[in-house]
Structures are given as C-alpha cells and as structure tokens.
Coordinates of all heavy atoms in Angstrom, one line a residue:
M1 N 0.8 -1.2 0.0 CA 0.0 0.0 0.0 C 0.9 1.2 0.0 O 1.8 1.4 0.8 CB -0.9 0.0 1.2 CG -1.8 1.1 1.2 SD -2.9 1.4 2.7 CE -2.7 0.0 3.7
A2 N 0.7 2.1 -1.0 CA 1.4 3.3 -1.0 C 0.8 4.4 -0.1 O -0.4 4.5 -0.1 CB 1.4 3.9 -2.4
I3 N 1.6 5.0 0.7 CA 1.1 6.0 1.6 C 1.9 7.3 1.2 O 3.1 7.3 1.1 CB 1.4 5.7 3.0 CG1 0.8 4.3 3.4 CG2 0.9 6.8 4.0 CD1 -0.6 4.3 3.5
E4 N 1.1 8.4 1.1 CA 1.7 9.7 0.8 C 1.4 10.6 2.0 O 0.2 10.7 2.3 CB 1.3 10.2 -0.5 CG 1.9 11.6 -0.9 CD 1.3 12.1 -2.2 OE1 1.4 11.3 -3.2 OE2 0.9 13.2 -2.3
Q5 N 2.4 11.3 2.5 CA 2.1 12.3 3.5 C 1.8 13.6 2.9 O 2.5 14.0 2.0 CB 3.3 12.4 4.5 CG 3.0 13.5 5.5 CD 4.2 13.7 6.5 OE1 5.2 13.0 6.3 NE2 4.0 14.5 7.5
Q6 N 0.7 14.2 3.3 CA 0.4 15.5 2.7 C 0.2 16.5 3.9 O -0.2 16.2 5.0 CB -0.9 15.5 2.0 CG -0.8 14.6 0.8 CD -1.8 14.9 -0.3 OE1 -2.8 15.6 -0.1 NE2 -1.6 14.5 -1.5
V7 N 0.7 17.7 3.6 CA 0.6 18.8 4.6 C -0.4 19.8 4.1 O -0.4 20.2 3.0 CB 2.0 19.4 4.8 CG1 1.8 20.6 5.8 CG2 3.0 18.4 5.3
F8 N -1.3 20.2 5.0 CA -2.2 21.2 4.6 C -2.4 22.2 5.8 O -2.0 22.0 6.9 CB -3.6 20.7 4.2 CG -4.3 19.9 5.3 CD1 -5.2 20.5 6.1 CD2 -4.0 18.5 5.4 CE1 -5.8 19.7 7.1 CE2 -4.7 17.8 6.4 CZ -5.6 18.4 7.2
F9 N -2.9 23.4 5.4 CA -3.0 24.5 6.4 C -4.4 24.9 6.5 O -5.2 25.0 5.6 CB -2.1 25.7 5.8 CG -0.7 25.3 5.7 CD1 -0.2 24.8 4.6 CD2 0.2 25.6 6.8 CE1 1.2 24.4 4.5 CE2 1.5 25.3 6.7 CZ 2.0 24.7 5.6
I10 N -4.8 25.2 7.8 CA -6.1 25.7 8.1 C -5.9 27.0 8.9 O -5.2 27.0 9.9 CB -6.9 24.7 8.9 CG1 -7.1 23.4 8.2 CG2 -8.3 25.3 9.2 CD1 -7.7 22.3 9.0
A11 N -6.6 28.1 8.5 CA -6.5 29.3 9.2 C -7.3 29.2 10.5 O -8.3 28.5 10.6 CB -7.1 30.5 8.4
K12 N -6.7 29.7 11.6 CA -7.4 29.7 12.9 C -7.6 31.1 13.4 O -6.8 32.0 13.1 CB -6.6 29.0 13.9 CG -6.5 27.5 13.7 CD -5.5 26.8 14.6 CE -5.7 27.0 16.1 NZ -4.7 26.3 16.9
C13 N -8.7 31.3 14.1 CA -9.0 32.6 14.7 C -7.9 33.0 15.6 O -7.5 32.2 16.5 CB -10.4 32.6 15.4 SG -10.8 34.1 16.3
D14 N -7.4 34.2 15.5 CA -6.4 34.7 16.4 C -6.9 35.0 17.8 O -6.1 35.1 18.7 CB -5.7 35.9 15.8 CG -4.7 35.5 14.7 OD1 -3.7 35.0 15.0 OD2 -5.1 35.8 13.5
I15 N -8.2 35.0 18.0 CA -8.7 35.3 19.3 C -9.0 34.1 20.0 O -8.6 33.8 21.2 CB -10.0 36.2 19.2 CG1 -9.6 37.5 18.4 CG2 -10.5 36.5 20.6 CD1 -8.5 38.4 19.0
C16 N -9.8 33.2 19.4 CA -10.3 32.0 20.1 C -9.7 30.7 19.6 O -9.9 29.6 20.2 CB -11.8 31.9 20.1 SG -12.5 31.6 18.5
G17 N -9.0 30.7 18.5 CA -8.4 29.5 18.0 C -9.3 28.6 17.2 O -8.9 27.5 16.8
A18 N -10.5 29.1 16.9 CA -11.4 28.3 16.1 C -10.9 28.1 14.7 O -10.3 29.0 14.1 CB -12.8 29.0 16.0
Y19 N -11.1 26.9 14.2 CA -10.7 26.6 12.8 C -11.6 27.3 11.8 O -12.8 27.3 12.1 CB -10.7 25.1 12.5 CG -9.6 24.3 13.2 CD1 -10.0 23.3 14.1 CD2 -8.3 24.5 13.0 CE1 -9.0 22.6 14.8 CE2 -7.3 23.8 13.6 CZ -7.6 22.8 14.5 OH -6.7 22.1 15.2
C20 N -11.0 27.8 10.8 CA -11.9 28.4 9.7 C -12.6 27.3 9.0 O -12.0 26.3 8.5 CB -11.0 29.1 8.7 SG -12.0 29.9 7.5
D21 N -13.9 27.4 9.0 CA -14.7 26.4 8.4 C -15.9 27.0 7.7 O -16.1 28.3 7.8 CB -15.2 25.3 9.3 CG -16.0 25.9 10.5 OD1 -16.5 27.0 10.4 OD2 -16.1 25.2 11.5
E22 N -16.7 26.2 7.0 CA -17.8 26.8 6.3 C -19.0 26.4 7.1 O -19.4 25.3 7.1 CB -17.9 26.2 4.9 CG -18.7 27.0 3.9 CD -18.2 26.8 2.5 OE1 -17.7 25.8 2.2 OE2 -18.4 27.8 1.7
A23 N -19.7 27.4 7.7 CA -20.9 27.2 8.5 C -20.7 26.1 9.5 O -21.6 25.3 9.7 CB -22.1 27.0 7.6
G24 N -19.5 26.1 10.1 CA -19.3 25.1 11.2 C -19.3 23.7 10.7 O -19.5 22.7 11.5
D25 N -19.0 23.5 9.4 CA -19.1 22.1 8.8 C -17.8 21.6 8.4 O -17.2 20.7 9.0 CB -20.1 22.2 7.7 CG -20.5 20.8 7.2 OD1 -20.2 19.8 7.9 OD2 -21.1 20.7 6.1
V26 N -17.3 22.1 7.3 CA -16.1 21.6 6.7 C -14.9 22.6 6.8 O -15.1 23.8 6.5 CB -16.3 21.4 5.1 CG1 -15.0 20.8 4.5 CG2 -17.5 20.5 4.9
W27 N -13.8 22.1 7.3 CA -12.6 23.0 7.5 C -12.2 23.4 6.1 O -12.1 22.7 5.1 CB -11.4 22.2 8.1 CG -11.7 21.9 9.5 CD1 -12.6 22.5 10.4 CD2 -10.9 21.0 10.3 NE1 -12.4 21.9 11.6 CE2 -11.4 21.0 11.6 CE3 -9.8 20.1 10.0 CZ2 -10.9 20.2 12.6 CZ3 -9.3 19.4 11.0 CH2 -9.9 19.4 12.3
L28 N -11.8 24.7 6.0 CA -11.4 25.3 4.8 C -9.8 25.2 4.8 O -9.2 26.1 5.4 CB -11.9 26.7 4.6 CG -13.4 26.8 4.4 CD1 -13.8 28.2 4.3 CD2 -13.9 26.0 3.3
W29 N -9.3 24.2 4.2 CA -7.8 24.1 4.2 C -7.2 24.4 2.8 O -7.9 24.5 1.9 CB -7.4 22.6 4.6 CG -8.0 21.6 3.6 CD1 -9.2 21.0 3.8 CD2 -7.4 21.1 2.5 NE1 -9.4 20.2 2.7 CE2 -8.3 20.2 1.9 CE3 -6.2 21.3 1.8 CZ2 -8.0 19.5 0.7 CZ3 -5.9 20.6 0.7 CH2 -6.8 19.7 0.1
D30 N -5.9 24.6 2.8 CA -5.3 24.9 1.6 C -3.8 24.4 1.7 O -3.4 23.9 2.7 CB -5.4 26.4 1.2 CG -5.6 26.5 -0.3 OD1 -4.9 25.8 -1.1 OD2 -6.5 27.3 -0.7
I31 N -3.1 24.5 0.6 CA -1.8 23.8 0.5 C -0.7 24.7 1.0 O 0.4 24.3 1.1 CB -1.5 23.3 -0.9 CG1 -1.7 24.4 -2.0 CG2 -2.5 22.1 -1.2 CD1 -1.2 24.0 -3.4
T32 N -1.0 26.0 1.2 CA 0.1 26.9 1.7 C -0.6 27.8 2.8 O -1.8 28.0 2.8 CB 0.7 27.9 0.7 OG1 -0.3 28.8 0.3 CG2 1.2 27.1 -0.5
R33 N 0.3 28.3 3.7 CA -0.2 29.2 4.7 C -0.9 30.4 4.1 O -2.0 30.8 4.5 CB 1.0 29.8 5.6 CG 1.6 28.7 6.4 CD 2.9 29.3 7.0 NE 3.6 28.2 7.7 CZ 3.3 27.9 9.0 NH1 2.4 28.5 9.7 NH2 4.0 26.9 9.6
Q34 N -0.3 31.0 3.1 CA -0.8 32.2 2.4 C -2.2 31.9 1.9 O -3.2 32.7 2.0 CB 0.1 32.7 1.3 CG -0.3 33.9 0.6 CD -0.4 35.1 1.6 OE1 0.4 35.2 2.6 NE2 -1.3 36.0 1.4
L35 N -2.4 30.8 1.1 CA -3.7 30.4 0.5 C -4.7 30.2 1.6 O -5.9 30.6 1.4 CB -3.5 29.2 -0.4 CG -2.8 29.5 -1.7 CD1 -2.5 28.2 -2.5 CD2 -3.5 30.5 -2.6
A36 N -4.3 29.5 2.7 CA -5.3 29.3 3.8 C -5.8 30.6 4.4 O -6.9 30.8 4.7 CB -4.6 28.4 4.9
A37 N -4.8 31.5 4.6 CA -5.2 32.8 5.1 C -6.1 33.6 4.2 O -7.1 34.2 4.6 CB -3.9 33.6 5.4
E38 N -5.8 33.5 2.9 CA -6.6 34.2 1.9 C -8.0 33.6 1.8 O -9.0 34.4 1.7 CB -5.9 34.2 0.5 CG -4.7 35.1 0.4 CD -3.9 34.9 -0.9 OE1 -4.4 34.2 -1.8 OE2 -2.8 35.4 -1.1
Q39 N -8.0 32.3 1.9 CA -9.3 31.7 1.9 C -10.2 32.1 3.1 O -11.4 32.4 3.0 CB -9.2 30.1 1.9 CG -10.4 29.4 1.7 CD -10.2 27.9 1.4 OE1 -11.1 27.3 0.7 NE2 -9.2 27.3 1.9
A40 N -9.5 32.2 4.3 CA -10.3 32.6 5.5 C -10.8 34.0 5.3 O -11.9 34.3 5.7 CB -9.3 32.5 6.7
A41 N -9.9 34.9 4.7 CA -10.3 36.3 4.6 C -11.5 36.4 3.6 O -12.3 37.3 3.8 CB -9.2 37.1 4.0
D42 N -11.7 35.4 2.7 CA -12.8 35.5 1.8 C -14.1 34.7 2.4 O -15.1 34.8 1.8 CB -12.5 34.8 0.5 CG -11.5 35.6 -0.3 OD1 -11.4 36.8 0.0 OD2 -10.8 35.1 -1.2
T43 N -13.9 34.1 3.5 CA -15.0 33.3 4.1 C -16.0 34.3 4.8 O -15.6 35.1 5.5 CB -14.5 32.3 5.1 OG1 -13.6 31.5 4.5 CG2 -15.6 31.5 5.7
P44 N -17.3 34.2 4.5 CA -18.3 35.1 5.1 C -18.2 35.1 6.6 O -18.1 34.0 7.2 CB -19.6 34.5 4.6 CG -19.3 33.8 3.4 CD -17.9 33.2 3.5
G45 N -18.1 36.3 7.2 CA -18.1 36.4 8.6 C -16.7 36.5 9.1 O -16.5 37.1 10.2
W46 N -15.7 36.0 8.4 CA -14.3 36.1 8.9 C -13.7 37.4 8.4 O -14.0 37.9 7.3 CB -13.5 34.9 8.4 CG -13.8 33.7 9.1 CD1 -15.0 33.0 9.0 CD2 -13.0 32.9 10.0 NE1 -14.9 31.9 9.8 CE2 -13.7 31.8 10.4 CE3 -11.7 33.1 10.5 CZ2 -13.2 30.9 11.3 CZ3 -11.2 32.2 11.4 CH2 -11.9 31.1 11.8
T47 N -12.9 38.0 9.3 CA -12.4 39.4 9.0 C -10.9 39.3 9.1 O -10.3 38.9 10.1 CB -12.9 40.4 10.1 OG1 -14.3 40.3 10.1 CG2 -12.5 41.8 9.7
E48 N -10.2 39.8 8.1 CA -8.8 39.9 8.1 C -8.5 41.2 8.8 O -9.0 42.3 8.5 CB -8.3 39.9 6.6 CG -6.8 39.8 6.5 CD -6.3 39.6 5.1 OE1 -7.1 39.9 4.2 OE2 -5.2 39.2 4.9
V49 N -7.6 41.1 9.8 CA -7.2 42.3 10.5 C -5.7 42.3 10.4 O -5.0 41.4 9.9 CB -7.6 42.2 12.0 CG1 -9.1 42.1 12.1 CG2 -7.0 41.0 12.7
K50 N -5.1 43.4 10.9 CA -3.7 43.6 10.8 C -3.0 42.4 11.6 O -3.2 42.3 12.8 CB -3.3 44.9 11.4 CG -1.9 45.4 11.1 CD -1.6 46.7 11.6 CE -0.1 47.1 11.4 NZ 0.3 48.3 12.1
G51 N -2.3 41.6 10.8 CA -1.5 40.6 11.5 C -2.3 39.3 11.8 O -1.8 38.5 12.6
G52 N -3.5 39.2 11.3 CA -4.3 38.0 11.7 C -5.7 37.9 11.1 O -6.0 38.7 10.1
I53 N -6.4 37.0 11.6 CA -7.8 36.8 11.1 C -8.7 36.5 12.3 O -8.3 36.0 13.3 CB -7.7 35.5 10.1 CG1 -9.0 35.4 9.3 CG2 -7.5 34.2 10.8 CD1 -8.9 36.0 8.0
V54 N -9.9 37.0 12.2 CA -10.9 36.9 13.3 C -12.1 36.2 12.8 O -12.7 36.6 11.8 CB -11.2 38.3 13.9 CG1 -12.2 38.2 15.0 CG2 -9.9 39.0 14.3
C55 N -12.6 35.2 13.6 CA -13.8 34.5 13.3 C -15.1 35.3 13.5 O -15.0 36.4 14.1 CB -13.8 33.2 14.0 SG -14.4 33.3 15.7
P56 N -16.2 34.8 13.1 CA -17.5 35.6 13.2 C -18.0 35.8 14.6 O -19.0 36.5 14.7 CB -18.5 34.8 12.3 CG -17.7 33.8 11.6 CD -16.4 33.5 12.3
I57 N -17.5 35.1 15.6 CA -18.0 35.2 16.9 C -18.1 36.7 17.3 O -17.2 37.5 17.1 CB -17.2 34.4 17.9 CG1 -17.4 33.0 17.7 CG2 -17.6 34.8 19.4 CD1 -16.5 32.1 18.6
S58 N -19.2 37.1 18.0 CA -19.3 38.5 18.5 C -19.2 38.5 20.0 O -20.2 38.1 20.7 CB -20.6 39.1 18.0 OG -20.7 40.5 18.4
D59 N -18.1 38.9 20.5 CA -18.0 39.2 21.9 C -17.0 40.4 22.0 O -16.5 40.9 21.0 CB -17.6 38.0 22.7 CG -16.2 37.5 22.4 OD1 -15.4 38.2 21.6 OD2 -15.9 36.3 22.8
R60 N -16.7 40.8 23.2 CA -15.9 42.0 23.3 C -14.5 41.8 22.7 O -14.1 42.7 21.9 CB -15.7 42.4 24.8 CG -15.2 43.8 25.0 CD -15.3 44.2 26.4 NE -14.6 43.3 27.3 CZ -13.3 43.6 27.7 NH1 -12.7 44.7 27.2 NH2 -12.7 42.8 28.5
K61 N -13.8 40.7 23.0 CA -12.5 40.5 22.4 C -12.5 40.4 20.9 O -11.7 41.0 20.2 CB -11.9 39.2 22.9 CG -11.3 39.2 24.3 CD -10.6 37.9 24.6 CE -9.8 38.1 25.9 NZ -9.2 36.8 26.3
H62 N -13.5 39.7 20.3 CA -13.5 39.6 18.9 C -13.9 40.9 18.2 O -13.3 41.3 17.2 CB -14.6 38.6 18.4 CG -14.1 37.1 18.6 ND1 -14.2 36.5 19.8 CD2 -13.6 36.2 17.7 CE1 -13.7 35.3 19.7 NE2 -13.4 35.1 18.4
D63 N -14.8 41.6 18.8 CA -15.2 42.9 18.3 C -14.1 43.9 18.3 O -13.9 44.7 17.4 CB -16.5 43.4 19.0 CG -17.7 42.6 18.7 OD1 -17.7 41.9 17.6 OD2 -18.6 42.6 19.5
E64 N -13.4 43.9 19.4 CA -12.3 44.8 19.6 C -11.2 44.5 18.5 O -10.6 45.4 17.9 CB -11.7 44.8 21.0 CG -12.5 45.6 22.0 CD -12.0 45.4 23.4 OE1 -11.0 44.8 23.6 OE2 -12.7 46.0 24.3
A65 N -11.0 43.2 18.3 CA -9.9 42.8 17.4 C -10.3 43.2 15.9 O -9.5 43.6 15.1 CB -9.8 41.3 17.4
R66 N -11.7 43.2 15.7 CA -12.1 43.7 14.4 C -12.1 45.2 14.2 O -12.3 45.7 13.2 CB -13.6 43.2 14.1 CG -13.6 41.7 13.6 CD -15.1 41.4 13.2 NE -15.9 41.2 14.4 CZ -16.1 40.0 14.9 NH1 -15.6 38.9 14.4 NH2 -16.9 39.9 16.0
G67 N -11.9 45.8 15.4 CA -11.8 47.3 15.3 C -13.2 47.9 15.4 O -13.3 49.1 15.1
A68 N -14.2 47.2 15.7 CA -15.5 47.7 15.8 C -15.9 47.9 17.3 O -15.4 47.2 18.2 CB -16.5 46.8 15.2
E69 N -16.8 48.8 17.5 CA -17.3 48.9 18.9 C -18.2 47.7 19.2 O -19.0 47.3 18.4 CB -18.3 50.2 19.0 CG -17.5 51.4 19.2 CD -16.7 51.5 20.5 OE1 -17.3 51.1 21.5 OE2 -15.5 51.9 20.4
S70 N -17.9 47.1 20.3 CA -18.6 45.9 20.7 C -20.0 46.3 21.1 O -20.3 47.2 21.8 CB -18.0 45.3 21.9 OG -18.8 44.3 22.5
P71 N -21.0 45.5 20.6 CA -22.4 45.7 21.0 C -22.6 45.5 22.5 O -23.4 46.1 23.1 CB -23.2 44.6 20.2 CG -22.2 44.0 19.2 CD -20.8 44.4 19.6
L72 N -21.7 44.7 23.1 CA -21.7 44.5 24.5 C -21.3 45.8 25.2 O -21.9 46.1 26.3 CB -20.8 43.4 24.9 CG -21.2 42.0 24.4 CD1 -20.1 40.9 24.8 CD2 -22.6 41.5 24.8
L73 N -20.3 46.5 24.7 CA -19.9 47.7 25.3 C -20.9 48.8 25.1 O -21.1 49.7 25.9 CB -18.5 48.1 24.7 CG -17.3 47.3 25.1 CD1 -16.1 47.8 24.4 CD2 -17.1 47.3 26.6
A74 N -21.5 48.8 23.9 CA -22.5 49.8 23.6 C -23.7 49.7 24.4 O -24.4 50.7 24.7 CB -22.8 49.8 22.1
A75 N -24.1 48.5 24.8 CA -25.3 48.4 25.6 C -25.1 49.0 27.0 O -24.0 48.8 27.6 CB -25.6 46.9 25.8
E76 N -26.1 49.7 27.4 CA -25.9 50.4 28.7 C -26.1 49.4 29.8 O -27.0 48.7 29.9 CB -27.0 51.4 28.8 CG -26.8 52.4 29.9 CD -27.8 53.6 29.8 OE1 -27.8 54.3 28.8 OE2 -28.5 53.8 30.8
S77 N -25.1 49.3 30.7 CA -25.2 48.4 31.8 C -25.8 49.2 33.0 O -25.9 50.4 33.0 CB -23.8 47.9 32.2 OG -23.1 48.9 32.9
K78 N -26.1 48.4 34.0 CA -26.7 49.1 35.2 C -25.7 49.9 35.9 O -26.0 50.7 36.8 CB -27.4 48.1 36.1 CG -26.5 47.0 36.7 CD -27.2 46.1 37.6 CE -26.3 45.1 38.3 NZ -26.6 43.8 37.9
D79 N -24.4 49.8 35.6 CA -23.4 50.6 36.2 C -23.1 51.9 35.4 O -22.3 52.7 35.8 CB -22.0 49.8 36.3 CG -22.2 48.6 37.2 OD1 -22.9 48.7 38.1 OD2 -21.5 47.6 36.9
A80 N -23.8 52.0 34.3 CA -23.6 53.2 33.5 C -24.0 54.4 34.2 O -25.0 54.4 35.0 CB -24.3 53.1 32.2
V81 N -23.3 55.5 33.9 CA -23.6 56.8 34.5 C -24.2 57.7 33.5 O -23.6 57.8 32.4 CB -22.4 57.4 35.2 CG1 -22.7 58.8 35.7 CG2 -21.8 56.6 36.3
R82 N -25.3 58.2 33.7 CA -25.9 59.1 32.7 C -25.9 60.5 33.3 O -26.3 60.8 34.4 CB -27.3 58.7 32.4 CG -28.0 59.6 31.4 CD -29.3 59.1 31.0 NE -29.2 57.8 30.4 CZ -30.1 57.3 29.6 NH1 -31.2 58.0 29.3 NH2 -30.0 56.1 29.0
V83 N -25.4 61.4 32.5 CA -25.3 62.8 32.9 C -26.1 63.6 31.9 O -25.9 63.5 30.7 CB -23.8 63.3 33.0 CG1 -23.8 64.7 33.4 CG2 -23.0 62.4 33.9
S84 N -27.0 64.4 32.4 CA -27.6 65.3 31.5 C -27.6 66.7 32.1 O -27.5 66.9 33.3 CB -29.1 64.9 31.3 OG -29.8 64.9 32.6
F85 N -27.5 67.7 31.2 CA -27.5 69.1 31.6 C -28.8 69.7 31.2 O -29.1 69.8 30.0 CB -26.3 69.8 31.0 CG -25.0 69.2 31.3 CD1 -24.4 68.2 30.6 CD2 -24.3 69.6 32.5 CE1 -23.2 67.6 30.9 CE2 -23.1 69.0 32.9 CZ -22.6 68.0 32.1
E86 N -29.5 70.2 32.2 CA -30.8 70.8 31.9 C -30.6 72.3 31.9 O -29.8 72.9 32.7 CB -31.8 70.4 32.9 CG -32.2 69.0 32.8 CD -33.2 68.5 33.8 OE1 -34.0 69.4 34.3 OE2 -33.2 67.3 34.2
E87 N -31.3 73.0 31.0 CA -31.2 74.4 30.9 C -31.9 75.0 32.1 O -33.0 74.6 32.5 CB -31.8 74.9 29.7 CG -30.8 75.1 28.6 CD -31.5 75.7 27.3 OE1 -32.1 76.8 27.4 OE2 -31.4 75.1 26.3
A88 N -31.3 75.9 32.8 CA -31.9 76.6 33.9 C -32.9 77.6 33.3 O -32.7 78.3 32.3 CB -30.9 77.4 34.7
S89 N -34.1 77.6 33.9 CA -35.1 78.5 33.4 C -35.2 79.8 34.2 O -34.6 80.0 35.2 CB -36.5 77.8 33.4 OG -36.7 77.3 34.7
Ligands
ZN101 ZN1 -12.7 33.5 17.3

C-alpha cells in the first residue's frame, strides 16, 4: 500500500483559535499558509485584521480585534452613569 504524507494548512481565529470552516461544517484548508489565510479572509463572517484573522463570533475580544465597537460595550449596563445638563429657566 502506497502512503503519501500531505501537509495542509487551516487558518485559525487569532482570538479563540477556532478553525476556519464553512458554516461550522467543513474545514477550509489549503496547501500553503498564504492560501489558507486568503481563503479565510474570503469566508463570510471572517475578518482579516492587521496581522491576523478573526472568526465571526461576536464578543468584546472579537469585536475589539475587528476594530468595531462591541455591541456589549455599547449596551448600557446598570453601572452606566448618565449625565444630563438641563437648561436653567
Ligand atoms: Zn474567534
């Protein structure tokens, strides 16, 4: 039986380490690091950032890595302080 060893590359999220896949189903692999990274960048939901790639998960770490304001941060918590200035009459 002939056996051939093959090496392949799968991009992983730089935040959580999730493998780049298609809708949580099939890993998107390629034959070089560069091609795997490019494939991940083209995968819906995955975002290429400076020096890495971020999966579609939305939490504070992922959102910050994407450079977006986190919806979690934007939501007003019960610790939020609201200041308003009313005009004196
Ligand atoms: Zn992730």
Side-chain angles (χ1 to χ4, degrees):
M1 184 187 348
I3 305 288
E4 180 179 309
Q5 180 181 2
Q6 297 203 341
V7 176
F8 58 94
F9 297 87
I10 303 173
K12 287 169 61 177
C13 174
D14 282 289
I15 303 303
C16 69
Y19 291 118
C20 182
D21 55 21
E22 196 151 30
D25 191 13
V26 181
W27 290 345
L28 297 177
W29 58 272
D30 220 314
I31 55 172
T32 68
R33 291 172 186 277
Q34 182 64 31
L35 288 173
E38 287 173 8
Q39 186 169 211
D42 290 341
T43 302
W46 286 69
T47 309
E48 192 172 14
V49 297
K50 193 177 176 188
I53 193 98
V54 181
C55 80
I57 290 174
S58 183
D59 64 14
R60 194 168 63 89
K61 279 187 170 179
H62 284 80
D63 291 336
E64 282 176 0
R66 276 188 286 265
E69 277 297 313
S70 168
L72 297 175
L73 290 177
E76 193 171 303
S77 79
K78 60 177 183 248
D79 297 327
V81 175
R82 178 176 298 203
V83 178
S84 61
F85 300 92
E86 290 176 28
E87 265 183 57
S89 51

